[in-house]
């Protein structure tokens, strides 16, 4: 941890700012650890079952907490949130299948490309050319991913690496859809999240009932030991409930840019957890790739923020 003092936000003292920052940083840590946790409790045959269990645990809590505002949603808001829930289900399926077939370190670093893909996609939709700095940052990140997937020498990327890349693209679609579906723009954030997760759970439940999609949620839960249950609770309670409520709490006490900056450290924690606790190894090429991904996404985030300020 740097000894430098971070400037206060909006006149808030540095000490009080860190009181707000630490929970957000904790969210980045648990999100980084979520890849190893998911990898530890999931196999190819239990992906859908684990997703049903993970979100079925937290959904009743979200419904109970936000019931009044949930009932106030309009029909258009329900439909818009439902569409977003379908996209969200695709994201979780790609991410979970992806992490089963690649390392937790690779998963956390590749998914961070969302921070590059989103401004590029937005520029294509709005026909506003991104800055030269952002394009250079995007190129640096892509080069980093290429090196990251070549830790054992120059070979084809694994199926898991490609799935995580698709997940990053799906996250980009989700972000753009939230911005462009007019009905959800003014919707309560808790209600919007609840409907999206409910839609995703419905998709997972339907998939779980189909033949050939792996073990059922009930048989999977029955086969869990203490370690697997601990991993599932971690994913449900900390990576979903805790993360969501901290974001809601923090964004009202600091700036969205500061929250985004802290959450942007997620790939660092994914790599740290994967290497220190998961026993994963990157190799020389992998380390070089990880450095390029982190540098490129950080540079791209700054370039995108500067571009927004200039246009404003």
């Amino acid at each position: 941890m740097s000894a430098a003092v971070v400037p206060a936000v909006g006149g808030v003292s540095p000490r009080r700012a860190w009181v707000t920052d630490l929970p957000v940083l904790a969210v980045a840590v648990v999100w980084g650890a979520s890849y190893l946790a998911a990898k530890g409790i999931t196999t190819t045959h239990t992906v859908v079952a684990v997703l049903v269990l993970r979100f079925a645990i937290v959904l009743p809590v979200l419904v109970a907490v936000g019931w009044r505002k949930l009932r106030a949603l309009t029909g258009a808001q329900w439909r818009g949130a439902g569409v977003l829930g379908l996209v969200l289900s695709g994201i979780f399926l790609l991410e979970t299948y992806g992490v089963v077939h690649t390392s937790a370190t690779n998963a956390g670093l590749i998914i961070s490309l969302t921070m590059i893909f989103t401004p590029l996609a937005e520029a294509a939709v709005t026909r506003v050319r991104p800055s030269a700095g952002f394009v250079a940052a995007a190129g640096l990140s892509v080069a980093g991913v290429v090196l990251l997937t070549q830790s054992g020498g120059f070979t084809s990327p694994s199926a898991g690496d490609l799935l995580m890349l698709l997940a990053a693209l799906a996250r980009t679609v989700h972000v753009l859809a939230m911005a462009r579906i007019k009905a959800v723009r003014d919707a309560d954030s808790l209600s919007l999240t609840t409907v999206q997760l409910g839609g995703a759970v419905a998709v997972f439940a339907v998939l779980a009932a189909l033949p050939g999609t792996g073990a059922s949620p009930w048989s999977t839960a029955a086969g869990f030991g203490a370690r697997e249950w601990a991993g599932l609770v971690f994913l449900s309670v900390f990576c979903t409930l805790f993360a969501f409520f901290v974001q809601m709490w923090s964004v009202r006490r600091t700036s969205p840019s500061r929250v985004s900056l802290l959450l942007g450290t997620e790939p660092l924690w994914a790599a740290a957890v994967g290497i220190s606790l998961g026993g994963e190894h990157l190799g020389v090429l992998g380390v070089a790739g990880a450095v390029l991904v982190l540098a490129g996404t950080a540079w791209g985030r700054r370039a995108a923020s500067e571009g927004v300020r200039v246009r404003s």
Side-chain angles (χ1 to χ4, degrees), residues 108-122:
L109 290 167
I110 292 173
I111 202 67
S112 69
L113 287 179
T114 302
M115 291 182 283
I116 295 295
F117 291 158
T118 301
L120 286 177
E122 187 178 17

Side-chain angles (χ1 to χ4, degrees), residues 123-296:
V125 170
T126 60
R127 297 183 180 180
V128 176
R129 182 178 298 179
S131 67
F134 183 84
V135 172
L140 193 67
S141 298
V142 172
V145 168
V146 172
L147 289 178
L148 180 65
T149 59
Q150 307 301 314
S151 296
F154 286 98
T155 59
S156 299
S158 71
D161 294 330
L162 294 176
L163 287 171
M164 294 308 301
L165 192 61
L166 290 174
L169 291 170
R171 279 195 184 189
T172 298
V173 171
H174 187 257
V175 172
L176 292 181
M178 281 197 295
R180 298 184 72 82
I181 297 177
K182 295 180 180 180
V184 303
R185 290 179 185 173
D186 299 324
D188 171 65
S189 57
L190 175 58
S191 300
L192 182 61
T193 300
T194 303
V195 175
Q196 286 186 78
L197 288 181
V201 170
V203 171
F204 303 146
V206 169
L207 290 177
L210 296 176
T213 53
S216 70
W218 328 119
S219 62
T220 300
F224 275 179
R227 184 180 68 86
E228 288 79 13
W229 276 109
L232 184 65
V233 170
F234 174 76
L235 290 171
S236 298
V237 176
F238 290 95
C239 299
T240 306
L241 274 182
F242 169 75
F244 174 75
F245 285 110
V246 165
Q247 287 181 87
M248 285 187 62
W249 172 82
S250 62
V251 80
R252 289 173 170 81
R253 290 164 174 78
T254 183
S255 69
S257 297
R258 193 178 183 94
V259 172
S260 176
L261 181 63
L262 292 167
L263 293 179
T265 63
E266 176 190 343
L268 285 173
W269 299 110
V273 171
I275 293 170
S276 62
L277 299 181
E280 298 176 352
H281 301 283
L282 284 178
V284 176
L285 289 177
V287 170
V291 170
L292 290 182
V293 169
L294 294 172

